Structure formats: structure tokens, C-alpha cells
Amino acid sequence: MINMNNVCIMIAIVAYLLLVLGIGVWFSKKNKTTDDFYLGGRRLGPLVTAMSAEASDMSSWLLMGLPGVAYLTGLAEASWTAIGLAVGTYLNWLIVAKKIRRYSHHCGATTIPAFFSARFKDKSNLLSVIAALVIIIFFVPYTASGFAACGKLFNALFGINYITAMIVCAGVIILYTMLGGFLAASTTDFIQSIVMTVALIAVLGYGTVHAGGIGAVVENAKTIPGYFSVINTYVPETGSSAPYSFLTICSLLAWGLGYFGMPHILLRFMAIEDVKKLTLSRRVASVWVVISMAVGILIGVVGLGMVANGAMPALDDPERIIVVIARLISQHGALAALLAGVILAGILAATMSTADSQLLAASSSVSQNIVKEKLAKNMSEKTTMLVARLTLVVIAVVAVILARDENSSVFRVVSFAWAGFGAAFGPVVLFSLFWKRTTKWGALAGMIAGGAMVFIWKYAIAALGGAFAIYELLPAFITGCIAIVVVSILTKAPGQEILDEFDAVKAMKD
């Protein structure tokens, strides 16, 4: 017998997928040059800039990873991470957005690697090639985690084979991104942020009611050792609490440092049509991020209350909490099932909004900064566009292969890739924009040292435990900063052309 709840859910999800595909087709007609394909011709509006940046930033982590962490261990880890991200978001919009928009426009850079080369007048393009390799190393597994989230969703919902579901979702993302480029990705990300917001609000409202109300949720959380504390964390394995050290809190706050090095977010800053409108974008983005993360954490707490109230079974995989609640909503009739479909489309939206941006950033790095700049400098515009699209497909296929393991953790993969970009690019971006004495070799040293330390700390030093068991982004970011300062001081000062350009950009007014 046909399950009408499933039919309604599928209708909502298919309608959403057709919408994003339609957007891709529409914008395919507007991509005349690689500048259009990778940066939208620098004509994004303030709202699209704000919401597409944050939607591409949050990814499935917002609807799966964050509620799952809150459900499993309580407020401490989720809250400090969210605070770090909220502060990082605001500071990135406040101090980086306008400067990188002006600088990249002044030097004609359309990708982050190209900006590094243009900033330091690196005619050898060594900086851009190394930066492109960094993007490939960290973005491919990041994209794979998004594909995995899609596969988990359809497997949990309809029992569809994980691999099949993951490949189909990846195909949709590839198609609309390949056709529509940056404008399609940004527009769909804007729509996806709206869908994500609806999903968060609907799940929180339903969950609170069926957990017995806010009072019941709070009382249940209070009965769990350390669960409702921000200085202690609940340890599910032992059923007890453990204190959070100051160093641990600092390492969680360090998540915010990652924003300064995220290529897909920095590209939004570079693409806005008018630098004066970044102020409005900053306000919209900051408010949305704070509210959405707060709701994501509350969903985890409410989910535990639903379990205590008998409204939901205990979860083996906490990252599926919103999927389970949406399933419960769908049991209340056709309209409720359609709403559940929208909620589940929100998870797809969160995943797709990040994956499309990552695919564009990675493919632009290969086609522009490696193929065109180093291997085939005389490629025509038409050939360059073809290479860009083919590169996007190849990178996506690699990500699909990496996403074969359905037991991989979205949160762990995202946190590692986040650390990689934050440490490899974050210090370079900040020093490039704010320290005139930074040299090409200093930037290169910072990029390599920061990126390498992420691997070293994660797989060697953190294993020592104790004070070393902290988030790898913090020590790696510090390492990158030190490398930039030391090597820049030890190498020849930048030429007059570079210094003059730095002063010219600094003197620009809105």
C-alpha cells in the first residue's frame, strides 16, 4: 500500500529540487565569461550576499551536526562553538568584507588564490597554485560530507539505498551549479536560507509542544549531570559530567577564526555590487546566524525532552534528530506531511547551499589558477568555461567516491575542513589586508605552516591528550600568524608598487 505521508514528503522535496534546477537553467544564459561564472560579474544584492554567505557557511552542520551535539552532550560544546561562530561571523563582515571587496576589485581578482597572487604581484603564480591545492585538499572532503548528509536523509526517510540517494542528490547539485555558476549558487543559497529557517522554527515548535512544554524540557535537562551547564559537559558513556577547562573553551571559541579563511564566504564579499551595501548585509547575516544557531541548539535539548516524555524513541544517531521529528510531524495529515517535506528539504538546502559553493571554489582553483595560469595561458574564453565546468564535474565525482561511507560523521569532517581553511587562509587574508610589510614569502610560509599544522596537531599532537586535546584550528592559526610575521621580517620588503597599491586601497572611500 502506498504511504501517503511519504508521497506528500516526496512531493515537497521534488518541488524544491526542480526549483533549484530551474534557477540553474535560468542563470546559465547569463554566464558569458568566467568572471560571470565564478563571481557573478560582481552584481549581487545585499540580501542575497548576506543570506547566501551564511547559508553556504552553515551547511548540514546547522541542521544535523549542531542539534546532534546538543542532544548528546548538552549545552557546553554546542554553545561555546556557536558563540565563537557568531563572533567570527560579525568580525569577518565588519573588518574583512569591505577591504577584500575593494582590494580584489582594484586588482581584478575573481578567486581567492588569484587575490593572493595579485596582492603580492607574484608573477610566478606560486601563491595561487599552492592556494588552489589547499582548496582542493580541504574542499573535496568537505563537499563529500554534504553529499553524505543527503544520502543519510533519503536512506532514513524512505529506506532508499544510501549510495543511490547520495549520487542522485550530488547529480542535482552538480547540474544546477555547472549550468548557472556563481549567480545560480548564490540565488539558490538565498532561497535555501529561507527553507532552512522554516525548518528550524517548525521543528522547534512541534518538538517543544510534544516534549510537554518549555518547563518540562528545562526540568528534564536539569536532571542530567552537566547537561544544562556551559562549564561542564555531559558524558553519555558514563552518565556523569566532566568540567570544561579554560583551554577547551578557548579551542571551541576558535571556531570563529575559521571565517577569515573560508573561500566561499570571502567570494560573497568580493561579489557584492556596491561596497556600501555591505553594512546592511552584515546586520542581516549576523542576526540570522545568532538566531539560527540558538534554535539549532534548542532543538537538541527539546529532542531529549521528547525522548523523556515518550514522544520520540532514543536516537542511535543524534545527527538525525530533525529527520526523526519531521517524520513524527508527517503523521498528522497531508498538510503536516507537506510541512515535513519542507523541513526535510531544509536539510537538503543546508547541504546544497554549501556543496554548490565549495564545488565552484574548488573548480575555479583548478581551472583558473592551475590550468589557465600555469598550463594553458592562451586558452580562449569559451575553452576556459568548458574547462571550468568539466573541472567541477571531476571534483564532484571524487567527492562522491569519498562519501561512500554512510557512517562518517558530518560534524567531524566539517570541523577538520573548517580548521584547514581557517589556518591556511585566515592569517594570510588578515595580514594581506592589514599589514603592509607582509611579503610573498611570508604569505606562502603562513599558508603552508597553518595548513600543515592542522594535520600535525590533529593526527599527532592531539593524541597526547590533556592540554593538547584541543581543536586543531587554534594552534594551527597561531602557527600561521607566526610564520607570516617571522618570514616577512626575514625576507626583502615589498616593492614600491605593492606598497603604493596597499595605500591606495586603504585610502578608498565608500
Side-chain angles (χ1 to χ4, degrees):
M1 179 179 289
I2 297 176
N3 187 320
M4 291 308 298
N5 289 344
N6 284 349
V7 171
C8 292
I9 290 172
M10 186 61 78
I11 288 172
I13 292 176
V14 170
Y16 168 74
L17 293 176
L18 290 175
L19 174 62
V20 295
L21 281 174
I23 291 171
V25 173
W26 171 261
F27 281 107
S28 66
K29 304 169 185 177
K30 299 180 181 294
N31 289 315
K32 306 300 183 183
T33 66
T34 50
D35 183 57
D36 292 332
F37 188 74
Y38 287 130
L39 211 57
R42 300 184 197 268
R43 53 181 184 269
L44 288 192
L47 291 181
V48 174
T49 299
M51 298 309 294
S52 67
E54 299 316 316
S56 65
D57 150 36
M58 285 291 124
S59 74
S60 54
W61 178 85
L62 176 64
L63 295 180
M64 296 183 75
L66 186 60
V69 169
Y71 173 93
L72 189 64
T73 63
L75 295 187
E77 181 175 351
S79 296
W80 287 117
T81 302
I83 291 170
L85 290 172
V87 173
T89 295
Y90 182 77
L91 291 178
N92 202 29
W93 282 96
L94 182 66
I95 67 176
V96 172
K98 286 187 178 181
K99 278 189 171 291
I100 200 165
R101 169 62 173 82
R102 292 169 180 153
Y103 224 131
S104 63
H105 181 70
H106 182 79
C107 63
T110 57
T111 67
I112 296 303
F115 167 70
F116 291 150
S117 280
R119 163 65 176 85
F120 297 102
K121 307 303 176 192
D122 178 23
K123 293 182 173 56
S124 68
N125 293 318
L126 178 62
L127 271 176
S128 63
V129 170
I130 298 299
L133 292 175
V134 169
I135 286 175
I136 295 168
I137 289 170
F138 290 109
F139 257 160
V140 172
Y142 203 158
T143 305
S145 74
F147 292 167
C150 292
K152 281 186 179 184
L153 173 63
F154 282 98
N155 177 255
L157 280 177
F158 309 113
I160 298 174
N161 177 268
Y162 166 80
I163 297 294
T164 302
M166 184 264 293
I167 291 174
V168 170
C169 290
V172 172
I173 298 170
I174 294 166
L175 188 56
Y176 80 75
T177 307
M178 183 178 67
L179 290 173
F182 186 82
L183 286 173
S186 297
T187 304
T188 54
D189 289 353
F190 174 69
I191 294 171
Q192 286 156 355
S193 69
I194 297 173
V195 177
M196 290 160 65
T197 302
V198 171
L200 287 167
I201 294 172
V203 168
L204 180 62
Y206 178 89
T208 302
V209 170
H210 286 78
I214 296 175
V217 170
V218 173
E219 288 305 314
N220 176 67
K222 286 181 178 179
T223 64
I224 302 172
Y227 188 89
F228 222 41
S229 170
V230 293
I231 58 173
N232 295 288
T233 185
Y234 173 59
V235 183
E237 293 80 8
T238 62
S240 61
S241 65
Y244 254 27
S245 67
F246 176 74
L247 186 59
T248 301
I249 292 173
C250 289
S251 76
L252 291 174
L253 290 174
W255 271 78
L257 295 173
Y259 278 104
F260 301 121
M262 291 298 132
H264 53 299
I265 298 174
L266 297 173
L267 285 174
R268 263 59 180 193
F269 300 160
M270 294 164 58
I272 195 167
E273 62 182 353
D274 185 349
V275 71
K276 289 183 289 187
K277 295 180 180 179
L278 280 168
T279 300
L280 173 60
S281 297
R282 181 184 73 238
R283 292 169 180 166
V284 171
S286 300
V287 170
W288 186 83
V289 162
V290 170
I291 294 175
S292 62
M293 287 194 296
V295 173
I297 293 171
L298 288 175
I299 287 172
V301 181
V302 166
L304 203 64
M306 291 178 69
V307 173
N309 201 38
M312 182 174 73
L315 302 177
D316 293 328
D317 183 357
E319 288 188 346
R320 299 191 183 192
I321 182 171
I322 288 184
V323 176
V324 175
I325 294 176
R327 264 300 198 189
L328 294 174
I329 292 174
S330 72
Q331 296 173 6
H332 295 274
L335 288 178
L338 286 173
L339 175 60
V342 173
I343 292 169
L344 296 167
I347 297 178
L348 280 180
T351 301
M352 297 168 96
S353 62
T354 301
D356 56 19
S357 300
Q358 292 165 346
L359 283 174
L360 275 174
S363 64
S364 67
S365 298
V366 174
S367 62
Q368 290 288 100
N369 307 121
I370 295 179
V371 176
K372 187 169 183 178
E373 291 180 2
K374 299 298 291 183
L375 303 178
K377 296 182 179 180
N378 297 320
M379 273 198 306
S380 66
E381 194 67 44
K382 184 177 180 180
T383 304
T384 303
M385 285 287 290
L386 178 61
V387 170
R389 288 187 162 114
L390 289 175
T391 303
L392 189 148
V393 173
V394 170
I395 290 173
V397 169
V398 175
V400 166
I401 294 171
L402 292 178
R404 289 174 298 170
D405 181 11
E406 63 180 301
N407 297 315
S408 61
S409 168
V410 172
F411 188 83
R412 285 198 297 269
V413 175
V414 169
S415 68
F416 183 72
W418 187 267
F421 283 118
F425 286 166
V428 181
V429 169
L430 292 175
F431 279 92
S432 296
L433 297 176
F434 293 98
W435 192 36
K436 184 162 61 172
R437 181 62 175 77
T438 308
T439 66
K440 178 182 80 171
W441 299 111
L444 183 62
M447 197 184 304
I448 295 173
M453 182 54 72
V454 170
F455 285 93
I456 295 170
W457 197 278
K458 174 75 173 179
Y459 295 107
I461 299 177
L464 299 175
F468 297 105
I470 60 174
Y471 185 30
E472 56 271 17
L473 174 54
L474 181 58
F477 190 94
I478 294 172
T479 299
C481 290
I482 293 173
I484 291 172
V485 172
V486 171
V487 175
S488 292
I489 291 174
L490 293 177
T491 52
K492 184 180 178 181
Q496 194 59 46
E497 181 185 3
I498 296 175
L499 299 178
D500 289 344
E501 183 177 64
F502 184 93
D503 290 334
V505 173
K506 184 178 180 180
M508 286 181 182
K509 304 293 183 183
D510 292 344

